[in-house]
Amino acid sequence: MALPQEDPSLERHFKGHRDAVTCVDFSLNTKQLASGSMDSCLMVWHMKPQSRAYRFAGHKDAVTCVNFSPSGHLLASGSRDKTVRIWIPNVKGESTAFRAHTATVRSVHFCSDGQSFVTASDDKTVKVWSTHRQKFLFSLSQHINWVRCARFSPDGRLIVSASDDKTVKLWDKTSRECVHSYCEHGGFVTSVDFHPSGTCIAAAGMDNTVKVWDVRTHRLLQHYQLHSAAVNALSFHPSGNYLLTASSDSTLKILDLMEGRLLYTLHGHQGPATTVAFSRTGEYFASGGSDEQVMVWKSNFDVVDYGEVIKVHRPPAPLATSSGNLPEVDFPVPPGRGRSQESVQSQTQEPISMPQTLTSTLEHIVGQLDVLTQTVSILEQRLTLTEDKLKQCLETQQLIMQRTPP
């Protein structure tokens, strides 16, 4: 298969956090990059040079996770203060708090339609919430230790969660049942995500490993032990061909999933690398570390032209090389073990796409609804505060009148 033409290159350094960076995520159009930190702040960085970053203060303790909504009009964050906040990522930085967890919120992730989001917490539960109605919907409660990460499948039908009970659990969103538990990790499972095709999951662990399973057969497809310390985070390239990992050994690694081998080891952070995320197009990826730095890298992967994807404003459809039929490997791979590019390509179908104008219009409408819903909520909160103040004034006035002799 064709390898990346150039090595990944460090493009930007963002400095502004005052403690370890815990999480990063790109907006849909890659114009914004959000990061959270142990300093309790959320930063929204602008990829355009010389643009001032937004600093959002609202959480009362460390920010542990961030995720942009699919439209990019909303930004969700979770914190050690036990709350989730939904922000409008503009200069005002207004937000609404969601409360239901009884311990640190470790993970937040929007469904692909933006209508709901899923959270994971140290209270041992996974919770699903309605974005627009701004309410808690239901809990998934079979983990017996802290839940570090939860993610929706690309089609929104499944949820995967990773826990300190050393398991990865697959859930059916509709029935709310646990479909399968993957128990192969030898330590706490720190991060998990779906392959863009929705047919596989990858999980990272404190046992220094990364494992890939098929969610249809539940077979362990790939096992990598490349880092010399805990693997803290992972992210799939949108093509599905590459997996990016961040480790406490201070390195980032890029794995070629089709060939089942290590492509790159990147040294940039001083101390543990805590988080990584590809942009929605795969052109860039970001990393954060305990060194308080946020770094943006250019992938330089010569995989596909994502220009049309950006124009249409929808997640990339599974590509010819991301059918989900990954070669079964246990790294290092003996010669000839990886499946050929041709055999993978022959098994895929042409992705179905909506007309560009219709998709763009629908995306715009959903985005405006996001902002309107959030604005109404903020106005309701202000109205409640105003009513409370008026009541206090009236009560004070009545007391004064009672005390004043006629």
Side-chain angles (χ1 to χ4, degrees):
M1 76 178 272
L3 292 176
Q5 290 182 326
E6 299 175 46
D7 295 349
S9 56
L10 184 59
E11 290 281 300
R12 301 280 297 277
H13 252 170
F14 290 122
K15 296 179 182 180
H17 282 299
R18 299 172 183 131
D19 206 336
V21 177
T22 56
C23 47
V24 289
D25 192 41
F26 283 97
S27 63
L28 174 76
N29 57 17
T30 318
K31 288 183 179 178
Q32 292 182 321
L33 170 67
S35 61
S37 165
M38 297 296 286
D39 65 10
S40 306
C41 284
L42 196 65
M43 299 290 292
V44 177
W45 313 92
H46 299 278
M47 294 293 283
K48 187 180 176 182
Q50 279 79 53
S51 295
R52 178 169 285 195
Y54 304 145
R55 183 189 295 274
F56 295 163
H59 284 295
K60 294 177 174 63
D61 207 333
V63 178
T64 54
C65 48
V66 289
N67 187 229
F68 275 100
S69 65
S71 66
H73 293 288
L74 297 177
L75 177 64
S77 61
S79 169
R80 206 157 60 184
D81 67 11
K82 308 176 190 176
T83 70
V84 177
R85 282 187 175 271
I86 303 289
W87 309 78
I88 300 174
N90 58 22
V91 69
K92 290 182 181 178
E94 294 174 314
S95 68
T96 304
F98 291 68
R99 293 177 174 87
H101 282 295
T102 57
T104 298
V105 180
R106 294 278 173 190
S107 167
V108 62
H109 183 238
F110 280 100
C111 191
S112 56
D113 63 6
Q115 299 299 307
S116 57
F117 61 91
V118 64
T119 55
S121 168
D122 287 2
D123 64 13
K124 306 177 190 175
T125 69
V126 173
K127 294 188 188 296
V128 176
W129 314 69
S130 167
T131 308
H132 301 296
R133 286 186 288 158
Q134 303 192 348
K135 60 185 280 190
F136 161 67
L137 297 177
F138 60 87
S139 285
L140 305 172
S141 310
Q142 287 188 26
H143 282 293
I144 57 171
N145 207 336
W146 296 356
V147 190
R148 299 236 181 191
C149 187
R151 293 283 184 270
F152 277 110
S153 60
D155 63 9
R157 294 177 186 176
L158 298 171
I159 293 169
V160 67
S161 57
S163 169
D164 281 9
D165 64 12
K166 303 181 185 179
T167 71
V168 171
K169 290 188 186 293
L170 190 67
W171 311 81
D172 183 293
K173 185 192 169 187
T174 306
S175 69
R176 306 179 191 179
E177 296 292 324
C178 180
V179 177
H180 193 79
S181 290
Y182 303 89
C183 306
E184 284 90 343
H185 272 285
F188 298 165
V189 191
T190 55
S191 182
V192 68
D193 203 2
F194 276 92
H195 186 273
S197 67
T199 60
C200 303
I201 53 170
M206 291 279 201
D207 59 1
N208 309 357
T209 69
V210 173
K211 292 179 168 65
V212 182
W213 292 275
D214 189 314
V215 298
R216 300 161 297 186
T217 63
H218 307 308
R219 288 179 65 186
L220 178 64
L221 294 179
Q222 298 185 346
H223 171 253
Y224 299 91
Q225 190 150 3
L226 301 166
H227 286 288
S228 58
V231 186
N232 298 316
L234 50 76
S235 179
F236 280 103
H237 187 272
S239 68
N241 294 344
Y242 306 100
L243 185 67
L244 172 65
T245 59
S247 169
S248 292
D249 66 12
S250 82
T251 69
L252 311 178
K253 290 185 188 286
I254 298 169
L255 313 177
D256 182 335
L257 298 174
M258 292 297 114
E259 297 291 331
R261 65 194 185 94
L262 175 66
L263 270 186
Y264 295 108
T265 296
L266 304 174
H267 300 266
H269 290 282
Q270 302 295 315
T274 53
T275 179
V276 282
F278 272 111
S279 65
R280 300 298 201 263
T281 63
E283 185 182 0
Y284 296 95
F285 59 90
S287 62
S290 60
D291 57 4
E292 305 174 10
Q293 306 240 18
V294 175
M295 297 183 182
V296 177
W297 310 72
K298 200 164 192 303
S299 304
N300 298 319
F301 289 175
D302 185 27
V303 177
V304 72
D305 178 11
Y306 284 99
E308 290 307 307
V309 174
I310 298 166
K311 286 176 194 170
V312 176
H313 293 300
R314 60 185 170 84
L319 304 172
T321 51
S322 65
S323 65
N325 296 297
L326 302 178
E328 292 187 29
V329 299
D330 194 354
F331 193 90
V333 194
R337 181 97 173 264
R339 184 171 296 176
S340 70
Q341 176 79 351
E342 291 73 28
S343 66
V344 175
Q345 285 180 331
S346 64
Q347 296 165 5
T348 59
Q349 298 175 344
E350 196 66 22
I352 299 164
S353 61
M354 294 169 77
Q356 182 178 328
T357 51
L358 176 61
T359 312
S360 298
T361 305
L362 286 171
E363 184 68 34
H364 178 72
I365 291 166
V366 170
Q368 292 307 306
L369 277 171
D370 284 348
V371 175
L372 282 169
T373 306
Q374 197 71 6
T375 306
V376 167
S377 171
I378 290 160
L379 287 170
E380 283 173 349
Q381 287 174 4
R382 287 178 179 173
L383 190 61
T384 305
L385 286 169
T386 307
E387 285 173 352
D388 290 344
K389 284 177 182 175
L390 280 169
K391 282 177 186 175
Q392 285 173 4
C393 288
L394 284 167
E395 286 168 3
T396 306
Q397 195 173 10
Q398 284 169 357
L399 282 168
I400 292 166
M401 288 174 72
Q402 286 168 9
R403 289 173 184 174
T404 306

